[in-house]
Amino acid sequence: MSRAAIRYAKAVLSLAQDKKATEDVQKDMQSIIATVSDSAELRMVLSSPLIKGEVKLASLREIFKGAGDITQKLFDTLVQNKRVDLLGDVAKQYIVLFDQLNNTQVAKVTTAVPLDKGLKAKVLSKVKELTGNEATIENIIDEAIIGGFILRVGDLQYNASIANKLTNLRRELSN
């Protein structure tokens, strides 16, 4: 994450706090993250030095029609400063800052199959017990782990996957 992206995200959060719109901006930022990560074409447009700033700004305004004023001003600022390629990073950093502000965090749970509601509730209570903070769950599906799960919360990682247990067993047997 570049320091510039962090500075832009802090400025957006500060403005959103002043306007009492942190949650609305957070929804915009989640939409930006999803759209930018799903669209290779959009990433190419934003990073291309051959495409004029006005075209990039018009594209962003069209793609994110429903975005609020603060998000629209972010588009303007990034285009004016020729830093629009940072948009995805700014959005990600905003989410991190927003979560810190609200004492929440994202728990990334990697499983072989999607989590059901019962398991989600158990994971959320375990995260609260371990960290003392509320969390939201991002479920990543990876069939390569065979079974079990991998839980990541901030810097903490707990690997209870079958693939990890097999790897550890293989190491023990080869020694």
Side-chain angles (χ1 to χ4, degrees), residues 88-99:
D89 288 342
V90 172
K92 287 176 189 169
Q93 188 59 41
Y94 179 91
I95 298 294
V96 169
L97 294 170
F98 176 84
D99 288 345

Side-chain angles (χ1 to χ4, degrees), residues 50-75:
L50 303 175
I51 298 173
K52 293 186 177 181
E54 303 87 59
V55 174
K56 292 177 184 184
L57 184 59
S59 299
L60 289 172
R61 289 197 189 286
E62 182 62 28
I63 293 167
F64 301 105
K65 283 183 203 160
D69 289 345
I70 294 171
T71 304
Q72 296 292 341
K73 287 177 184 166
L74 173 64
F75 297 157

